[in-house]
């Protein structure tokens, strides 16, 4: 069996103000030269405002950072006609990577009928653009809409069979949850690469958001950091970054296919992590 190097990729999100745009371009410029295997750009869930947000940012990444670019595409609220037009636009921009998502169903907004699940979108993209690489989202600690783990894995298998080339996980802080999930995928004959989603916690507000909104189990070691440094933001940030580096080292040691870093648009954090893990991914470390 030939061993392949694990990949390191970044996620960024489109800002919603001009100040945010300027900050983000500064951030991205600082990421220049790190050479991740791709940078993914998130998208708003409800009625894609694709041109001004995701597409504009993806274009900036592609043109200025010269690296592979992936766009997120939540599809519950869009039609086949709209997706077809976006795919054509992406192709013209030489962007061939899509993270196919259903997106959250928002109370009070009735979804379109074309894409009930991410698997429907995946199949559609593969029919329209067979050369595109399609990724899918997955949930080591189970998607909140799922009845149970078994159902979730069964639906994931369907999604992969509909054409997913790789999977990217929801963030997690307990690697054991990821290893268990990997095993369940292997048993279910899900054989595509699974990239581990890692989000460093750099402040208390973000930690509370994760606790409230993501079904991620927080190990005692992690809770101790939050408690110990609740009044010391500098140490909390440093400890949060060190925790993420520790998670990454463990994942790579255990032969993860790749790590997808949720950068939260924070260049200093991304660079810090990159600097401390680059050689694990056989990448050149940043010099300054
Ligand atoms: P699906 O794969 O369709 O799954 C949704 C639920 O339906 C699951 O419970 C699944 O088990 C179930 N299911 C699937 N198929 C069937 C079936 N045939 N019958 C019955 N049940 C079924 N959201 C955004 O809005 N924008 C983003 O940019 C974004 N990026 C993300 C990136 C990553 C890496 C991840 C992990 C999530 C991201 N999300 C994003 C969040 C995602 O949109 C939500 O978690 C959403 O609720 C589910 O999307 P999905 O693509 O996983 O859905």
């Amino acid at each position: 069996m030939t061993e392949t190097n694990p990949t390191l990729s970044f996620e960024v999100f489109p800002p919603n103000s001009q100040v945010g745009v300027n900050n983000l371009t500064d951030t991205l410029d600082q990421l220049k030269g790190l050479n991740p295997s791709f940078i993914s750009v998130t998208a708003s869930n409800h009625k894609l405002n694709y041109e001004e947000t995701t597409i504009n940012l993806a274009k900036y990444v592609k043109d200025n950072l010269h690296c592979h670019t992936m766009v997120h595409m939540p599809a519950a609220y869009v039609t086949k006609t709209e997706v077809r037009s976006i795919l054509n636009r992406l192709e013209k921009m030489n962007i061939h990577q899509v993270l196919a998502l259903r997106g959250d169903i928002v109370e009070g907004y009735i979804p379109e009928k074309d894409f009930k699940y991410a698997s429907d979108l995946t199949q559609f993209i593969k029919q329209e653009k067979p050369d595109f690489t399609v990724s899918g989202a997955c949930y080591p600690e189970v998607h909140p809409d799922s009845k149970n783990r078994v159902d979730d894995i069964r639906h994931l298998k369907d999604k992969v069979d509909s054409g997913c080339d790789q999977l990217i996980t929801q963030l997690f802080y307990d690697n054991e949850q990821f290893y268990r999930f990997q095993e369940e995928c292997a048993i279910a004959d899900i054989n595509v690469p699974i990239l581990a989603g890692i989000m460093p916690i750099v402040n208390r507000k973000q930690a509370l958001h994760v606790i409230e909104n993501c079904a991620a189990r927080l190990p005692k070691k992690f809770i101790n950091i939050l408690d110990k440094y609740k009044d010391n933001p500098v140490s909390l940030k440093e400890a949060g970054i060190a925790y993420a580096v520790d998670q990454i080292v463990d994942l790579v040691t255990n032969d993860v296919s790749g790590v997808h870093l949720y950068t939260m648009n924070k260049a200093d954090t991304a660079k810090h992590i990159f600097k401390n893990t680059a050689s694990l991914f056989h990448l050149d470390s940043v010099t300054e």
Side-chain angles (χ1 to χ4, degrees):
M1 202 169 85
T2 50
E3 289 233 343
T4 51
N5 291 335
T7 59
L8 177 65
S9 49
F10 296 152
E11 177 189 286
V12 295
F13 58 84
N16 52 14
S17 69
Q18 192 50 46
V19 178
V21 170
N22 296 340
N23 286 343
L24 181 57
T25 47
D26 281 355
T27 292
L28 289 173
D29 291 344
Q30 287 187 59
L31 298 181
K32 255 185 208 165
L34 297 193
N35 210 11
S37 84
F38 65 88
I39 293 184
S40 82
V41 180
T42 69
S44 148
N45 179 30
H46 190 243
K47 266 292 164 201
L48 290 177
N49 188 9
Y50 238 56
E51 291 291 328
E52 292 97 80
T53 57
T54 306
I55 297 250
N56 269 356
L57 180 53
K59 185 166 171 17
Y60 187 91
V61 169
K62 181 101 191 137
D63 293 349
N64 292 277
L65 279 78
H66 311 292
C67 69
H68 293 293
T69 310
M70 174 190 287
V71 294
H72 294 209
M73 193 183 283
Y77 293 96
V78 291
T79 62
K80 284 187 177 171
T81 310
E82 286 168 312
V83 170
R84 187 175 285 119
S85 144
I86 293 165
L87 293 175
N88 288 336
R89 173 105 166 83
L90 291 173
E91 193 169 45
K92 284 201 185 104
M93 291 165 59
N94 211 13
I95 292 179
H96 299 123
Q97 290 196 57
V98 178
L99 175 58
L101 298 154
R102 181 198 69 183
D104 287 328
I105 304 301
V106 185
E107 217 184 306
Y109 293 90
I110 299 168
E112 294 285 350
K113 294 195 172 57
D114 284 355
F115 304 108
K116 188 163 183 206
Y117 296 109
S119 50
D120 302 318
L121 177 65
T122 303
Q123 197 176 23
F124 183 74
I125 297 173
K126 281 292 182 183
Q127 270 162 14
E128 294 284 309
K129 305 286 178 200
D131 295 345
F132 275 34
T133 301
V134 182
S135 301
C138 62
Y139 304 84
E141 294 170 81
V142 184
H143 187 273
D145 294 356
S146 287
K147 278 199 295 233
N148 52 49
R149 296 186 80 87
V150 175
D151 267 16
D152 209 35
I153 292 281
R154 192 159 49 82
H155 296 141
L156 187 62
K157 167 75 175 148
D158 291 344
K159 183 152 75 174
V160 170
D161 288 348
S162 71
C164 263
D165 299 296
Q166 67 180 4
L167 296 169
I168 307 179
T169 76
Q170 177 63 291
L171 55 86
F172 60 89
Y173 294 93
D174 178 358
N175 286 4
E176 292 310 317
Q177 300 287 329
F178 176 78
Y179 299 136
R180 172 183 175 180
F181 172 72
Q182 267 191 322
E183 269 173 36
E184 288 167 347
C185 286
I187 291 165
D189 212 15
I190 295 171
N191 297 315
V192 294
I194 304 175
L195 311 190
I198 297 295
M199 184 192 277
I201 291 286
V202 291
N203 60 55
R204 204 162 168 79
K205 189 170 156 224
Q206 186 200 357
L208 294 177
H209 177 83
V210 167
I211 293 166
E212 274 164 30
N213 295 292
C214 311
R217 201 189 86 80
L218 298 182
K220 182 144 192 330
K221 186 175 162 189
F222 189 86
I223 291 172
N224 287 347
I225 293 174
L226 293 178
D227 285 347
K228 172 113 181 137
Y229 300 118
K230 62 176 179 293
D231 300 320
N232 185 343
V234 175
S235 299
L236 176 59
K237 181 174 174 179
E238 234 166 64
I241 292 175
Y243 189 95
V245 169
D246 203 32
Q247 264 194 292
I248 293 171
V249 171
D250 182 66
L251 287 162
V252 174
T253 312
N254 283 284
D255 297 329
V256 72
S257 296
V259 170
H260 189 60
L261 193 65
Y262 295 103
T263 70
M264 301 301 290
N265 291 359
K266 296 198 185 312
D268 60 331
T269 306
K271 277 176 86 171
H272 199 117
I273 290 178
F274 185 91
K275 201 170 152 198
N276 283 285
T277 59
S279 71
L280 309 182
F281 300 98
H282 302 271
L283 295 165
D284 290 333
S285 184
V286 263
T287 44
E288 87 254 38

